[in-house]
Amino acid sequence: MCTECGSYLANALATDLRKSKMESYITEINLVIGEIQNALDHLKSWMEPEKPKKNVMTLLDTLRIYNDPRGVVLIIGAWNYPVQLSLMPIIGAIAAGNCVILKPSEVANASAKALAELIPKYLDSECYSVVLGGVAETTELLKERFDYILYTGSSSVGKLVRSAANQYLTPVTLELGGKSPVYIDSTVDMSVAARRILWGKCINSGQTCIAPDYVLCTRDVQYMFVEEAKKVLQEFYGDNKKESPDLCRIINDKHFERLVDLMKDGEIAVGGGYDASDRFIEPTILTNVKPTDPIMQEEIFGPILPIMNVDNAYDAIKFINSRERPLTFYIFTTDKTVQSLMLDNTVSGSVCVNDTMLQFCVDTLPFGGVGQSGMGAYHGKYSFDTFTHKKSCLIKSLNKLGENLSR
Ligand code: NAD
């Protein structure tokens, strides 16, 4: 990506979310550049037809799996990482040979406009186009026939997209959200754990699909976590959090008001400040929340971290399994038995042990949800495969030699 494009997109991200330049590059632009480089490095081998193993009946034949493009792909992006969530899927779709229509989220208006300006400058408009608009325009688009749809956004709209796709039996990848839990036990070095959890929670001011949504731990661990969290937040953002250049703003008034309402649940252990004029919400930790509180019912998508007390790892597993399958699950423990217990007994789109968010940045790991948090996955070779039809092919000669073998 050219330097001017990077700056142009970073400025748009600053307008939409007050994202700092550093955060824009780390969490959006550089990920896109890495994904492009990875595709360029491996495209030749990805495209190569596979030569599957033969069975006795086909010993004299040729078997191939060809990687055909799906055709025309619709990519619908979300507002929280408006650049990355639009461009990462496009890279896989182009690599696999498809034409693409991108519909970025209207909620991140400046970024959507920047993409609509830049994409036609660098890509052939006959094959790749950007459609701007909101619900009405997306609803119209979804009436058209596509060969594949990749949607990123909420589960409720995901259902609408899938049902529109059904009309033509169009396959879909749905990258959705949900409540991603964090389990912390007493074996961790809390200064490290708190740092990693709060970094994952506060980046983009918590407006991240894989942000740690809530913490499960015992009361003792909670005490240690809260004490460390105060130090970490002070170190990250200083005394006056609102003045920190590193805290993004909430995308719009609707989400700001929703988050302020959610802060009324439980008790504020850390933070709690906000300013409507600037859509600023201070990183906040809530204790004494109940599973029935709104904050424990809906995806938070903001810098508020509630803590639910559990007695042990079994209790935490039971709690997680009683809810919808999360997009991701964070396990903080040095106890390998507890790590295995949790990995073996929970279902989530991904898991990261003793850190947060990093699983997203590895192009050799498929990224996607399960159940209500999504279907299908992409990134790296998984993107190429998502946008590829695997065409099975058996090629036989008309020679009579193989006649008895295969019949
Ligand atoms: P959003 O409001 O930007 O909507 C996403 C897209 O859907 C937009 O392009 C929008 O125009 C379109 N849309 C909205 N309502 C529609 C409707 N009624 N009919 C047709 N199209 C419609 O984003 P959002 O839904 O608020 O995004 C937040 C959610 O997305 C969260 O749940 C988050 O966890 C999830 N998310 C998931 C991922 C992931 O990769 N799994 C990434 C980012 C966000």
Side-chain angles (χ1 to χ4, degrees), residues 57-365:
M57 271 173 63
T58 52
L59 274 181
L60 299 178
D61 306 330
T62 301
L63 299 185
R64 290 286 180 273
I65 303 172
Y66 287 98
N67 293 300
D68 280 1
R70 291 200 181 261
V72 179
V73 169
L74 172 65
I75 292 170
I76 304 176
W79 54 262
N80 57 331
Y81 289 87
V83 170
Q84 186 244 105
L85 293 173
S86 297
L87 296 183
M88 295 278 274
I90 290 189
I91 296 161
I94 293 178
N98 299 279
C99 291
V100 181
I101 292 179
L102 168 70
K103 213 302 291 175
S105 175
E106 74 285 9
V107 179
N109 189 29
S111 304
K113 281 191 176 151
L115 289 168
E117 270 176 52
L118 291 176
I119 287 178
K121 271 196 190 169
Y122 297 95
L123 296 176
D124 181 350
S125 301
E126 294 250 319
C127 301
Y128 313 107
S129 64
V130 183
V131 174
L132 292 179
V135 176
E137 290 78 4
T138 316
T139 307
E140 277 308 304
L141 256 184
L142 285 167
K143 290 181 186 161
E144 298 296 323
R145 184 171 189 158
F146 293 95
D147 298 298
Y148 202 89
I149 300 176
L150 184 144
Y151 167 80
T152 305
S154 63
S155 304
S156 53
V157 177
K159 288 175 192 169
L160 298 177
V161 170
R162 193 176 182 207
S163 101
N166 242 356
Q167 191 191 345
Y168 298 110
L169 292 179
T170 303
V172 293
T173 291
L174 300 177
E175 295 287 338
L176 311 176
K179 292 183 81 62
S180 296
V182 185
Y183 174 71
I184 318 174
D185 78 8
S186 58
T187 63
V188 300
D189 175 339
M190 197 56 86
S191 63
V192 178
R195 232 182 135 74
R196 293 181 183 176
I197 293 166
L198 289 165
W199 176 76
K201 184 70 188 182
C202 294
I203 209 148
N204 209 24
S205 268
Q207 302 166 107
T208 305
C209 56
I210 49 167
D213 188 273
Y214 64 95
V215 169
L216 293 169
C217 64
T218 61
R219 274 203 170 267
D220 291 350
V221 170
Q222 170 183 299
Y223 176 78
M224 290 190 287
F225 176 73
V226 167
E227 289 312 299
E228 279 303 329
K230 289 176 190 162
K231 291 185 215 160
V232 169
L233 291 172
Q234 165 76 20
E235 185 201 331
F236 281 1
Y237 307 115
D239 285 330
N240 188 347
K241 310 276 185 295
K242 193 170 168 247
E243 297 306 317
S244 166
D246 299 320
L247 273 172
C248 291
R249 293 303 185 252
I250 304 306
I251 186 77
N252 57 26
D253 291 342
K254 187 180 114 196
H255 280 286
F256 175 84
E257 282 152 23
R258 180 183 64 78
L259 288 165
V260 169
D261 267 354
L262 289 181
M263 277 207 278
K264 292 175 186 150
D265 292 336
E267 285 164 29
I268 293 173
V270 182
Y274 56 88
D275 179 354
S277 69
D278 198 19
R279 293 196 306 275
F280 164 77
I281 295 193
E282 189 180 358
T284 297
I285 297 178
L286 301 176
T287 52
N288 290 325
V289 293
K290 295 193 284 299
T292 47
D293 286 341
I295 194 135
M296 286 306 296
Q297 294 292 319
E298 62 178 89
E299 181 180 359
I300 298 168
F301 228 53
I304 310 167
L305 186 65
I307 306 179
M308 283 277 312
N309 292 134
V310 287
D311 291 335
N312 50 45
Y314 294 100
D315 220 11
I317 290 171
K318 209 166 142 196
F319 186 83
I320 293 164
N321 289 342
S322 69
R323 304 193 142 219
E324 294 296 349
R325 292 172 172 179
L327 185 55
T328 199
F329 176 28
Y330 297 114
I331 305 166
F332 281 79
T333 177
T334 58
D335 186 333
K336 293 267 187 320
T337 318
V338 174
Q339 290 178 9
S340 302
L341 183 79
M342 301 209 121
L343 278 165
D344 293 345
N345 291 287
T346 58
V347 180
S348 54
S350 59
V351 170
C352 183
V353 177
N354 292 328
D355 213 327
T356 61
M357 314 277 278
L358 296 185
Q359 76 279 18
F360 183 89
C361 314
V362 186
D363 55 36
T364 46
L365 289 175

